[in-house]
Amino acid sequence: MTKTTRIDARFAALKKEKRPALITFITAGDPDPETSKAILGGLADAGADVIELGMPFSDPMADGPAIQASSQRALKGGQTMVKTLQMVRDFRAKDAATPIVLMGYYNPIYVYGNGRFIADAKAAGVDGLIVVDVPPEADEELCLPALRAGLNFIRLATPTTDKARLPAVLSNTSGFVYYVSITGITGAAAPEVNDVQKHVGAIKSATPLPVVVGFGVKSGEQARALGQTADGVVVGSALVSRIEKSLGAKGEATSKTTKDVLELVKELSSALRAY
């Protein structure tokens, strides 16, 4: 893969600005298609540099209760892969610069069809994929075809990724490396900055790719501390929790839903720009 992607361009621009990226995660279709579209459309203006859009799945094993619940809300509301890709198309009609990464699990992609998915994702304006349950040993299945199509394929490294395993994780990875700052599920605990710094340093010594940190980041203060070590900070569970807390008695979106999520994004962005 030799062509510069939106992800490559965004991280190059941020390097010149000498600040880390704010990477935001929401689940497509949560809490309903229209509200989700409104949130997605407002993320970049609120300060998101890269957007991870979750592909809803009935059994998101690596995710904590907040993101699990977001997938359930989205699926209950009728979200499908076709609708998720349409969300990206609609976003691209208004924003040609902000990178979008589809994140999730292999099952919905497999059901959709690998070749069809890669072609449709590329055509919709997707820039990269994070598929948490496809290991490097299965690169021929999805990773390599995605790379050939011009999509970045982003892998996760964890606190248990040792020196022997790291080369396999980095092989065929592009765009950036996502360091999972805690062991366990998303949103379960706060990352320990000193531990993160050590692991991020080890990854950086093995790859020229940007290294971003996610899992457990809930506040601007945490994001700022981690951003002094990493090239970007991912916030997901905290945003999804904002959605959940804003819902009405029957689980419906309210006038606060979009506003509350984007206010948190603004807070996080301000913290990462205040170096």
Side-chain angles (χ1 to χ4, degrees), residues 31-261:
D32 61 68
E34 285 306 309
T35 305
S36 186
K37 182 178 177 181
I39 294 170
L40 176 63
L43 287 173
D45 285 343
D49 297 299
V50 179
I51 297 169
E52 291 179 3
L53 187 61
M55 299 174 284
F57 180 45
S58 58
D59 188 23
M61 67 189 100
D63 292 303
I67 293 179
Q68 286 185 22
S70 74
S71 266
Q72 293 300 323
R73 289 192 296 269
L75 292 172
K76 184 178 179 181
Q79 190 70 12
T80 64
M81 186 69 79
V82 170
K83 291 180 180 179
T84 296
L85 293 173
Q86 186 60 49
M87 282 182 68
V88 179
R89 287 190 196 92
D90 293 343
F91 178 88
R92 278 284 166 252
K94 298 178 181 179
D95 186 328
T98 304
I100 289 188
V101 176
L102 292 184
M103 183 173 186
Y105 299 82
Y106 183 45
N107 182 274
I109 296 171
Y110 179 79
V111 170
Y112 192 87
N114 287 7
R116 176 189 174 208
F117 170 77
I118 290 169
D120 288 357
K122 182 67 178 176
V126 172
D127 302 292
L129 304 175
I130 302 175
V131 187
V132 300
D133 54 350
V134 176
E137 289 76 13
D139 274 357
E140 290 287 349
E141 187 81 10
L142 184 65
C143 172
L144 295 181
L147 292 175
R148 286 193 289 267
L151 295 170
N152 288 126
F153 202 87
I154 298 145
R155 292 212 190 276
L156 306 181
T158 74
T160 59
T161 303
D162 59 21
K163 290 182 180 179
R165 181 61 176 170
L166 186 59
V169 171
L170 297 177
S171 176
N172 297 322
T173 297
S174 66
F176 58 88
V177 181
Y178 187 141
Y179 176 66
V180 176
S181 60
I182 57 173
T183 54
I185 55 176
T186 56
E192 183 61 49
V193 174
N194 290 338
D195 289 342
V196 170
Q197 186 172 14
K198 179 180 69 175
H199 287 286
V200 168
I203 298 168
K204 280 179 167 290
S205 69
T207 179
L209 291 172
V211 180
V212 310
V213 176
F215 279 47
V217 182
K218 295 181 174 66
S219 68
E221 183 180 358
Q222 285 178 316
R224 180 176 166 80
L226 293 170
Q228 293 174 339
T229 295
D231 299 299
V233 179
V234 185
V235 182
S237 293
L239 298 178
V240 170
S241 292
R242 280 284 175 106
I243 292 174
E244 185 172 20
K245 290 175 183 176
S246 75
L247 300 179
K250 296 181 180 179
E252 76 281 9
T254 67
S255 59
K256 296 174 57 180
T257 303
T258 301
K259 177 175 68 69
D260 284 1
V261 174

Side-chain angles (χ1 to χ4, degrees), residues 9-21 49 269 272-275:
R10 180 53 53 95
F11 276 100
L14 292 173
K15 188 173 183 179
K16 290 181 179 179
E17 291 181 34
K18 297 182 179 179
R19 70 172 178 86
D49 297 299
S269 176
L272 290 176
R273 292 168 190 262
Y275 283 98

